[in-house]
């Protein structure tokens, strides 16, 4: 006879019920979600589930621990421990000399739970509606969508550096050294502004390599460029007020500004970068402009020196701010890069934004700002509210990576590699897609803008490419006004020469069949 899980009975019906319930218990014990638990915990969880779903109803007597242990083939102490926990949690009442029972009050509790479940299953219940309970800003963010980065290297995804050659052995060694030297300090909260050794290295690098004029006290270490732009939108622009952005421009910047309820005002770019004559003609009342002067996103244009100086003078004359995203400045292939705007700005109207996600690896999640002195305290306070600080161990490791010369060495190696891959990419485009797109040869960067020729659909070609495992961004979504140009933005930095060639063949075959 199989021991009854509820009450010992001699009727045929009760025997069948007992066997059924014991089998149900065994099935619950084998649930995949319980396998990581100790055996007594699995028994306790399984019995709790049977009580909650009503299989073991109010007032039902559970079998003695010895009988259940024998039926399950486990030690009696194992079942005893499960019963003790059930008693502590209120699922079982144990009466000395009588046994263990499901509380009578459990029926009332379960009926209340079931009523709540039924209410939640009503078809028009607000909880099931996307965005229910959100603020106006929350609904706006949900409806406009987020910015989702590429998680794997795939032709021709943009913004991905070559990570297969990153010196992980050096990085791991330096991280172990930092952990050993700083010990428990790296396990505690860090300075919201950033670890001082890293801020010193960033300042030294910017002054030497980018022609900046900045001290460690002006550096704010952040998680990303988008975090920097979000802080700018929060601290420099009131909700509903305008902010100027290059047109076409960086999609992530547009999302960061819009999520802070700023109104984006497009300013057109040409072959020399943002048109400063349009900045001077603007009457929107915007007090900030976002620019990518070293390598305009997505056209690849470099802001001319004449316009850089005009931009600086405009900001000084009008009391406005320049948000300089020095995007891809490290990867300039046709001659030396132009000095950054921040280094030319003697009026301190420029907020400089940089990232290590492109020069090292995206998973590092580390960027920085070089701020005018009068803004450092406000931005540091805002950052402390947003997410506190960047992990200290990563900051201290990167500081050593830079101090030992590994950072500059890695950037030089990647600059040479990407320049070679740019040529391979341009030749492949000409060979396979010459009748479909017209590429713009960028002076640097990690992607090539390609404009579709007459008769080709951006949306259709993107779908056709996806069918053969090729992914890239369309250009039209980067334009802010009604006038748009259609085409693609093809990334190449993370791909070998062979991968570029074979992916280009697949792409051409897919859209010309």
């Amino acid at each position: 006879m199989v021991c009854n899980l509820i009450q010992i009975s001699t009727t045929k019906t009760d025997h069948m019920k007992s066997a059924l319930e014991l089998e149900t218990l065994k099935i619950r014990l084998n649930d995949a979600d319980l396998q990581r638990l100790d055996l007594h915990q699995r028994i306790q969880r399984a019995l709790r589930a049977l009580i909650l779903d009503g299989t073991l109803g109010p007032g039902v007597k559970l079998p003695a621990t010895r009988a259940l242990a024998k039926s399950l083939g486990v030690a009696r102490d194992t079942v005893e421990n499960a019963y003790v926990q059930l008693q502590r949690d209120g699922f079982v009442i144990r009466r000395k000399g009588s046994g263990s029972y499901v509380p009578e009050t459990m029926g009332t509790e379960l009926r209340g739970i079931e009523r709540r479940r039924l209410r939640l299953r009503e078809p028009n219940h607000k909880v099931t509606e996307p965005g229910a309970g959100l603020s106006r800003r929350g609904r706006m963010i949900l409806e406009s969508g987020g910015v989702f980065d590429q998680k794997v290297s795939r032709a021709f995804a943009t913004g991905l550096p070559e990570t297969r050659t990153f010196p992980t052995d050096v990085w791991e060694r330096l991280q172990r050294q930092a952990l050993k030297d700083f010990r428990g300090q790296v396990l505690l909260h860090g300075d919201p502004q950033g670890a001082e050794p890293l801020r010193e290295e960033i300042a030294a690098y910017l002054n030497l390599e980018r022609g900046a004029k900045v001290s460690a006290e002006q550096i704010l270490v952040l998680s990303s460029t988008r975090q920097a732009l979000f802080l700018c939108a929060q601290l420099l622009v009131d909700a509903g007020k305008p902010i100027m952005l290059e047109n076409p421009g960086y999609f992530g910047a547009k999302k960061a500004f819009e999520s802070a309820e700023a109104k984006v005002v497009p300013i057109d770019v040409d072959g020399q970068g943002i048109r400063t004559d349009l900045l001077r003609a603007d009457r929107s009342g915007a007090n900030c402009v976002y620019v990518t002067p070293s390598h305009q996103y997505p056209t690849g244009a470099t802001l001319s020196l004449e316009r850089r100086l005009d931009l600086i003078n405009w900001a000084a004359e009008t009391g406005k701010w320049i948000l300089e995203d020095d995007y891809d400045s490290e990867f300039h292939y046709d001659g030396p890069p132009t000095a950054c705007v921040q280094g030319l700005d003697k009026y301190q109207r420029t907020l400089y934004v940089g990232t290590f996600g492109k020069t090292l690896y995206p998973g590092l999640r580390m960027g920085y700002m070089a701020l005018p002195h009068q803004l450092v305290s406000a931005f540091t306070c805002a950052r402390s509210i947003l997410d506190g600080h960047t992990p200290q161990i990563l900051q201290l490791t990167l500081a050593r990576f830079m101090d030992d010369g590994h950072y500059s060495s890695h950037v030089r190696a990647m600059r040479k590699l990407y320049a070679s891959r740019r040529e391979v990419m341009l030749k492949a485009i000409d060979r396979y897609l010459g009748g479909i797109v017209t590429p713009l040869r960028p002076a640097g960067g990690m992607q090539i803008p390609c404009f579709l020729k007459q008769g080709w659909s951006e949306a259709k070609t993107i779908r056709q490419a996806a069918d053969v495992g090729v992914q890239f961004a369309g250009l039209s979504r980067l334009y802010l006004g009604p006038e748009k140009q259609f085409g693609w933005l093809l990334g190449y930095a993370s791909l070998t020469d062979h991968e570029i060639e074979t992916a280009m063949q697949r792409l051409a075959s897919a859209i010309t069949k």
Side-chain angles (χ1 to χ4, degrees), residues 298-317:
T299 67
T302 299
L303 189 64
S304 64
L305 179 59
E306 180 183 357
R307 289 194 185 178
R308 287 174 188 244
L309 296 175
D310 191 31
L311 174 65
I312 291 168
N313 290 330
W314 165 82
E317 293 164 9

Side-chain angles (χ1 to χ4, degrees), residues 193 217 235 371-383:
Q193 189 176 346
E217 288 71 30
L235 296 178
L371 295 161
H373 286 284
Q374 66 266 36
L375 297 181
V376 173
S377 295
F379 272 75
T380 301
C381 287
R383 197 285 160 87

